[in-house]
Amino acid sequence: MLFREVLFADYQTVLMHFIMSMAVALLFKEMNWFPFVSYTDKWHIDETAPFDMQTDRLTERLLEVTDRSGAYTVRLEWHPEFDPDGGFHVFLFKKTEYKLEVFGTVREDVVISNLYHKDTRDFQQLRRYLEECIYLVNLLSTDYVKWKEKFRGKTVTEAPYLYCLVGNIVNYRLYGEDKEPRKGVKVFSAGTKVYCFPPLWGDGYESIKVIGKPKDSAKLITVIIDAKHVTNWRLQKVYNSYVVRTMLGNGGWKMKQEAKAIIENMVKWLPERTEQAGI
């Protein structure tokens, strides 16, 4: 009788673990994913158990979802692998394919860009990070007008932000050999807020790519201006979907913690670059 009770208890334990494994396997499929071409789910982590009791489940690749175009991949990893003191790492990668003709020969190349990286040990935070990635894939892969109609305000409770270098156009710039004071710059009015890209070419950040509202329109545009015509340099969290889309899709700031440190360093020396008339 005792032997039967032990067998029954073992059976219940096995059944419970099986049900739990099936539940966690479906955990991410219930999320509102974008249309995907591949979905690989190796998640077997029990949210109710300590990490040090399931180290064999803390594998490097836990989840990988690639959108229908093949350009964007959301990946969930555990680092260091099998280490209970590690954590979840969520990435969003963009694959860009290039064709270059060199001396009559066409060469194909693929560049993988890391657009997003956040880490956590909290399950609720993990789910939020994955929801942010889904939001970003929809934002980046959909025509912006259609995206606003279909997705804005519907996929996440709060839109994800990126750290961005921000400034304002000087009141008066010095123009020509005679240093004639002129208000604002050709494209932007004085005081216009501009979202500044990171350094994109090797000129010491003298000419910079920015996003801002021009004098004759309420719509944001992207142009290149002189850094010396920008003042009030600062670090800012940016939620604006157009700015986020433009930055992530065109070599701008990424949703990565190191971006904050880079910008914090830049705002220390950029004020010395500003040149304006004292009027």
Side-chain angles (χ1 to χ4, degrees), residues 24 28 40-46 50-64 75-91 120-121 123 126:
V24 296
F28 298 126
T40 304
D41 188 344
K42 297 182 179 180
W43 175 277
H44 298 291
I45 297 174
D46 183 353
F51 291 128
D52 58 6
M53 297 295 291
Q54 48 183 335
T55 55
D56 59 320
R57 300 179 178 182
L58 306 179
T59 56
E60 181 176 334
R61 296 289 180 90
L62 295 169
L63 177 74
E64 185 169 293
R75 185 182 298 164
L76 169 61
E77 301 180 357
W78 179 277
H79 290 290
E81 190 172 27
F82 306 127
D83 185 347
D85 294 324
F88 299 110
H89 290 255
V90 181
F91 300 91
T120 183
R121 288 172 58 88
F123 288 99
L126 169 61

Side-chain angles (χ1 to χ4, degrees), residues 168-264:
N168 297 89
I169 299 299
V170 296
N171 289 330
Y172 289 90
R173 61 188 167 96
L174 301 174
Y175 178 77
E177 294 182 0
D178 297 331
K179 303 293 183 180
E180 175 189 349
R182 291 193 177 182
K183 197 168 186 179
V185 295
K186 184 176 181 180
V187 180
F188 300 119
S189 301
T192 298
K193 181 179 181 178
V194 287
Y195 304 90
C196 308
F197 278 69
L200 298 175
W201 38 76
D203 69 342
Y205 211 63
E206 292 185 1
S207 296
I208 61 174
K209 193 174 183 179
V210 302
I211 303 169
K213 292 182 180 179
K215 295 177 180 178
D216 57 354
S217 176
K219 293 184 178 180
L220 292 166
I221 64 168
T222 303
V223 296
I224 296 173
I225 63 173
D226 291 335
K228 65 183 180 181
H229 296 150
V230 179
T231 188
N232 193 23
W233 300 96
R234 60 199 183 275
L235 167 71
Q236 190 172 93
K237 292 180 180 179
V238 175
Y239 294 85
N240 183 289
S241 57
Y242 180 84
V243 176
V244 170
R245 172 188 168 98
T246 305
M247 285 287 177
L248 291 179
N250 297 276
W253 299 106
K254 308 297 188 289
M255 288 190 176
K256 300 162 66 177
Q257 191 63 29
E258 49 262 43
K260 181 182 179 182
I262 294 172
I263 297 170
E264 287 175 335

Side-chain angles (χ1 to χ4, degrees), residues 22-137:
M22 290 298 294
V24 296
L26 295 173
L27 176 66
F28 298 126
K29 284 194 175 181
E30 294 175 354
M31 300 182 72
N32 189 25
W33 288 101
F34 43 80
F36 52 79
V37 68
S38 67
Y39 182 98
T40 304
D41 188 344
K42 297 182 179 180
W43 175 277
H44 298 291
I45 297 174
D46 183 353
E47 297 182 37
T48 64
F51 291 128
D52 58 6
M53 297 295 291
Q54 48 183 335
T55 55
D56 59 320
R57 300 179 178 182
L58 306 179
T59 56
E60 181 176 334
R61 296 289 180 90
L62 295 169
L63 177 74
E64 185 169 293
V65 186
T66 300
D67 83 313
R68 188 162 49 192
S69 71
Y72 299 98
T73 297
V74 177
R75 185 182 298 164
L76 169 61
E77 301 180 357
W78 179 277
H79 290 290
E81 190 172 27
F82 306 127
D83 185 347
D85 294 324
F88 299 110
H89 290 255
V90 181
F91 300 91
L92 172 58
F93 297 105
K94 178 184 179 182
K95 181 176 73 172
T96 306
E97 298 180 352
Y98 294 96
K99 288 186 178 181
L100 302 175
E101 185 172 345
V102 181
F103 301 114
T105 302
V106 177
R107 297 180 57 185
E108 296 184 359
D109 195 10
V110 176
V111 175
I112 306 296
S113 304
N114 183 2
L115 305 183
Y116 179 107
H117 176 208
K118 292 184 180 180
D119 62 274
T120 183
R121 288 172 58 88
D122 180 79
F123 288 99
Q124 289 186 346
Q125 191 72 62
L126 169 61
R127 187 177 181 87
R128 169 161 175 76
Y129 289 165
L130 290 170
E131 288 175 346
E132 288 183 351
C133 287
I134 294 172
Y135 168 96
L136 292 172
V137 171

